[in-house]
Amino acid sequence: ASDRLLTIQVIYAEPARVWRKTVQLALGSTVAQAIALSQFAQDNPAYPHDDLNVGIFGRSCSTDRFLIDGDRVEIYRPLVFDPMESRRRRTIHRKAAVKTPNQA
């Protein structure tokens, strides 16, 4: 039936809290519509909404992706570090760990 509703969870996790809403939308609804209905923007005004990064069950997707019943829309925190810089630092630490003379 075309009047069937989808039940969708919208989640945003921060280190100190998890924001979660369950919304119901019509078949054919998108990630963007679920986020709008969840009132994420109103509840999280500090989030940089012009740079929304989202996924469904840990897989990145666009906001125009169509939803299926039971989807969990995840709103990801903006990166506060440069991933390339982090990778470089991990490599330096690994090399330093290999060179330690603690191994007999």
Side-chain angles (χ1 to χ4, degrees):
S2 61
D3 61 348
R4 186 169 155 244
L5 292 177
L6 306 175
T7 300
I8 307 297
Q9 277 194 355
V10 182
I11 295 177
Y12 174 63
E14 293 179 298
R17 74 178 181 109
V18 175
W19 178 94
R20 176 178 307 175
K21 290 274 178 85
T22 300
V23 296
Q24 290 195 314
L25 302 105
L27 199 62
S29 295
T30 65
V31 169
Q33 291 169 316
I35 292 170
L37 186 60
S38 76
Q39 298 187 324
F40 174 74
Q42 294 89 326
D43 291 352
N44 299 276
Y47 186 90
H49 297 280
D50 55 337
D51 189 24
L52 200 60
N53 188 6
V54 298
I56 294 179
F57 290 115
R59 301 191 74 168
S60 188
C61 70
S62 67
T63 56
D64 59 358
R65 182 188 180 282
F66 291 106
L67 296 164
I68 59 172
D69 192 41
D71 273 347
R72 182 181 68 214
V73 174
E74 300 161 342
I75 302 169
Y76 302 125
R77 291 189 310 258
L79 291 178
V80 292
F81 61 90
D82 177 4
M84 291 299 287
E85 178 65 18
S86 287
R87 194 171 298 127
R88 186 184 67 76
R89 287 182 184 167
R90 281 195 305 272
T91 301
I92 290 170
H93 287 297
R94 279 192 204 110
K95 287 179 181 176
V98 169
K99 292 180 183 177
T100 56
N102 294 348
Q103 299 162 347

